[in-house]
Amino acid sequence: DVKVTQSSRYLVKRTGEKVFLECVQDMDHENMFWYRQDPGLGLRLIYFSYDVKMKEKGDIPEGYSVSREKKERFSLILESASTNQTSMYLCASSGTGIYQPQHFGDGTRLSIL
Amino acid sequence: AQTVTQSQPEMSVQEAETVTLSCTYDTSESNYYLFWYKQPPSRQMILVIRQEAYKQQNATENRFSVNFQKAAKSFSLKISDSQLGDTAMYFCAFMKDFGNEKLTFGTGTRLTIIP
């Protein structure tokens, strides 16, 4: 089974801090994704990566950056955390081809105080 | 840009009943893919069922089936013989085409199965 592991289940940080959310997948997937999940808004794509060192902006990239130095790891960075970034963050990965579903991690509930 | 609309924020049904979750979408693409994902209270999202737009036959996976109406841009999920384990958030999602594996999600429907 595909395993997507997010480093923290719950995280509390302060306004202005630099925050790192880590995601690791064990299936040699090319594609990795970071979503933000908010009540009433569903999941919104922040960034995705289709290869090592490659990234593409999603629908809501402002205030975030990403890093993918190794194929299995995709990091989401909040450069200067703000209270409106309090949310649930979901990481996903998928292969490429005719059909490859996205596999999700358990999520990180991030609170910015 | 594609949009996905789920008009039922919450639903509840008795165990063993059948329930239908609605999803509509808007796109100018002719070929695309549609998905239903389930997020149980433990939070890990899992794929329930998928449909290719070029296939007229509705997809089925055990107790889960879809009613895909391409002209109406509608993609509803039917759960038959509902079970307590079906309690979850359900998200409808759209993918434009392969080579661009980004998903656009709806806002979700919280389904509660009542014992």
Side-chain angles (χ1 to χ4, degrees):
Chain A
D1 273 358
V2 176
K3 188 142 181 76
V4 179
T5 303
Q6 294 185 230
S7 53
S8 303
R9 196 76 177 244
Y10 300 93
L11 203 55
V12 180
K13 296 292 182 180
R14 295 213 172 267
T15 303
E17 280 192 67
K18 191 169 186 175
V19 180
F20 293 85
L21 302 184
E22 306 287 346
C23 175
V24 177
Q25 49 95 1
D26 66 355
M27 282 301 292
D28 202 37
H29 281 163
E30 291 81 3
N31 302 316
M32 295 189 75
F33 307 83
W34 275 108
Y35 294 93
R36 172 176 171 159
Q37 182 178 3
D38 299 289
L41 297 177
L43 276 75
R44 293 177 291 167
L45 181 65
I46 304 171
Y47 268 97
F48 92 100
S49 169
Y50 50 90
D51 201 351
V52 175
K53 297 190 186 295
M54 306 302 285
K55 62 185 179 185
E56 189 169 315
K57 291 180 180 179
D59 300 318
I60 52 164
E62 297 79 17
Y64 304 94
S65 63
V66 291
S67 172
R68 194 165 180 202
E69 296 296 319
K70 293 185 178 181
K71 193 174 185 179
E72 67 270 18
R73 186 180 297 269
F74 191 35
S75 302
L76 179 69
I77 304 157
L78 286 64
E79 298 289 344
S80 178
S82 64
T83 55
N84 63 11
Q85 292 178 310
T86 291
S87 187
M88 171 71 79
Y89 291 87
L90 293 176
C91 175
S93 73
S94 72
T96 54
I98 302 266
Y99 170 69
Q100 294 289 335
Q102 290 189 17
H103 298 267
F104 286 82
D106 287 341
T108 296
R109 184 166 294 283
L110 175 64
S111 296
I112 307 297
L113 305 179
Chain B
Q2 287 68 232
T3 58
V4 177
T5 302
Q6 293 180 250
S7 58
Q8 304 152 312
E10 293 188 24
M11 297 184 72
S12 60
V13 293
Q14 294 289 138
E15 193 175 4
E17 288 186 350
T18 294
V19 60
T20 299
L21 280 58
S22 302
C23 173
T24 58
Y25 58 94
D26 188 25
T27 184
S28 57
E29 303 291 329
S30 58
N31 193 33
Y32 48 88
Y33 301 82
L34 296 163
F35 306 84
W36 279 98
Y37 277 86
K38 170 185 177 180
Q39 187 182 41
S42 64
R43 289 184 297 167
Q44 188 170 68
M45 192 93 68
I46 56 174
L47 178 68
V48 175
I49 199 165
R50 67 176 172 104
Q51 174 81 41
E52 294 88 344
Y54 62 87
K55 287 187 178 178
Q56 293 189 345
Q57 186 173 7
N58 289 324
T60 61
E61 288 287 343
N62 301 313
R63 297 183 296 108
F64 298 87
S65 61
V66 299
N67 183 2
F68 174 50
Q69 303 288 330
K70 190 173 184 179
K73 296 180 181 174
S74 170
F75 181 61
S76 60
L77 174 70
K78 185 171 84 171
I79 306 174
S80 303
D81 185 27
S82 57
Q83 300 174 359
L84 296 179
D86 296 332
T87 292
M89 281 289 288
Y90 287 82
F91 291 96
C92 179
F94 174 101
M95 180 188 291
K96 189 162 68 172
D97 204 349
F98 290 108
N100 182 2
E101 281 87 357
K102 292 186 288 186
L103 289 172
T104 300
F105 285 87
T107 52
T109 297
R110 183 177 301 279
L111 175 65
T112 302
I113 309 300
I114 303 165

